[in-house]
Amino acid sequence: MATAGKVIKCRAAVIWEAGQIPSVEEVEVAPPRTHEIRVKIVATGICRTDDHVAVGLFPGISYPVIVGHEAAGIVESVGPEVTCVKPGDKVIPLCVPQCGECASCLNPKSNCCLKGHVCQPQNLMPDKTSRFTCRGKQVYHFLWTSTFSEYTVMPEASIAKIDDAAPLEKVCLFGCGFSTGYGAAINSAKVEPGSTCAIFGLGGVGLSIIMGCKTAGASRIIGIDINKDKFAKAKELGATDCISPNDFTKPIEKVLVEMTGLGVDYSFEAIGRIDTEVAALASSRLGSGTCVLVGEPPSGSQLTFDPRLILTGRKLIGSFLGDWKLKEALPKLVSDYMNRCINPDALISHTLPFEKIAEGFELLRAGKSIRCVLVF
Ligand code: COD
Ligand code: ZN
Ligand code: ZN
């Protein structure tokens, strides 16, 4: 392309400091270096984690920063030694990389790539420099994705090539929310046909867990949320019951045990709160239930609970980005979408032009959106 090897000036949303929502600016994006790829982002969803950075709740972040990690786009140019994609390919950025070489990538049971942000918190490219500048200042990267920019640069490990026919303004959700929730049910819990499930939190992630439970053949799927506006969509996607803790005087775990006899076979926490994590564990079935933690509580939180809850046969497990090895899993998930086996389209409650990103953040904070997709 005519822009290959050159600095590109384009729109991006910069968070200048914690406590500010992203502001749309003109930024300069340097060309990709060795093993890097520059991508034209076509569509990007807003995830709660992006807001955590805006609010200042995400650990280890340097500002100014460009966030965004749930997107789809087209390769504009590639740096030296890139082999996995070429200009023009449709791609999804990976907020958890798959380098293919580290101990986690070589372990079939783990997707926690040791080069990723969880193991090595960093706001810069692997060579410790940034490709972004704005108003003469260096701007930091986020999760090696920074998709709230019309053009962004990412390492080869953080990109998956997808079907040329995929609609980018829809499949962007595979980059985070849908894959996180759907995989928690399918891969982490391995929900079985005929089982009972409880999902705490009916945001985009919780609703994707519901879709996973339904696909796996669960017979009863109970959604729990304090915002009853979420119930209609949860039922449309497969929840058989929806309840609000605010409608009961007794603890919600007691309500769930009474509803199911001994508790649910699988409980999921998709809120990111310590109290609901303990409630989810206590709602799982005595002797055989599994509780899956999906939501990330504020940094520094400590989980405490009566150990008898697990000594009596319950299992407590965690799920990280749906336990997918994303580089190899995303092309298949997108194929399943193209073959109409899975369909997260219903999660998209709003589609806005990129310039209206502040409105997208307001919708998220007001609990009015499930997923807001921004299109460039
Ligand atoms: N009881 C019941 N429901 C509640 C409560 C409560 N006390 N508090 C909030 N809720 C509900 C809200 O009304 C809302 O409907 C829902 O919980 C949360 O939904 P959202 O829309 O805010 O968030 P999601 O679904 O987009 O994501 C939530 C997670 C907590 C899963 C997410 O922020 C997270 O922590 N992800 C895990 C970490 C991870 O995998 N990160 C990868 C990159 S993001
Ligand atoms: Zn996310
Ligand atoms: Zn790795």
Side-chain angles (χ1 to χ4, degrees), residues 89-111:
D89 282 349
K90 286 189 175 176
V91 292
I92 291 182
L94 311 179
C95 55
V96 179
Q98 187 184 346
C99 76
E101 293 165 356
C102 73
S104 282
C105 285
L106 295 173
N107 175 357
K109 292 184 180 167
S110 171
N111 71 340

Side-chain angles (χ1 to χ4, degrees), residues 48-49 69 176 203-205 225-226 230 271 294-296 321 371:
R48 179 65 66 181
T49 300
H69 61 280
C176 180
V205 174
D225 203 299
I226 47 174
K230 308 277 175 155
I271 302 166
V294 181
E296 190 174 335
L321 222 296
R371 273 302 194 259

Side-chain angles (χ1 to χ4, degrees), residues 263-342:
V264 294
D265 297 311
Y266 302 97
S267 60
F268 300 85
E269 204 278 355
I271 302 166
R273 291 175 58 100
I274 294 295
D275 59 344
T276 44
E277 287 185 347
V278 178
L281 175 61
S283 315
S284 65
R285 188 180 172 94
L286 175 79
S288 65
T290 298
C291 172
V292 187
L293 303 187
V294 181
E296 190 174 335
S299 56
S301 306
Q302 299 283 319
L303 177 62
T304 47
F305 57 86
D306 182 343
R308 273 168 288 252
L309 282 170
I310 46 178
L311 288 169
T312 46
R314 297 177 185 85
K315 287 180 223 43
L316 179 61
I317 64 171
S319 178
F320 180 56
L321 222 296
D323 275 336
W324 302 103
K325 282 182 183 285
L326 286 177
K327 199 172 173 95
E328 58 196 54
L330 280 192
K332 291 181 202 150
L333 282 167
V334 170
S335 297
D336 285 349
Y337 173 84
M338 300 302 285
N339 296 329
R340 298 175 197 275
C341 303
I342 46 176

Side-chain angles (χ1 to χ4, degrees), residues 201-268:
L202 302 176
V205 174
L207 292 171
S208 304
I209 297 173
I210 290 180
M211 284 191 257
C213 293
K214 188 171 181 212
T215 302
S219 59
R220 195 160 184 202
I221 302 173
I222 307 169
I224 300 119
D225 203 299
I226 47 174
N227 180 353
K228 290 185 177 179
D229 292 346
K230 308 277 175 155
F231 290 179
K233 183 69 79 180
K235 288 195 171 158
E236 179 191 323
L237 294 175
T240 52
D241 315 68
C242 286
I243 54 176
S244 166
N246 294 338
D247 287 347
F248 302 91
T249 47
K250 64 179 96 168
I252 197 68
E253 57 271 30
K254 287 221 161 64
V255 176
L256 285 158
V257 170
E258 281 171 15
M259 283 171 80
T260 53
L262 291 173
V264 294
D265 297 311
Y266 302 97
S267 60
F268 300 85

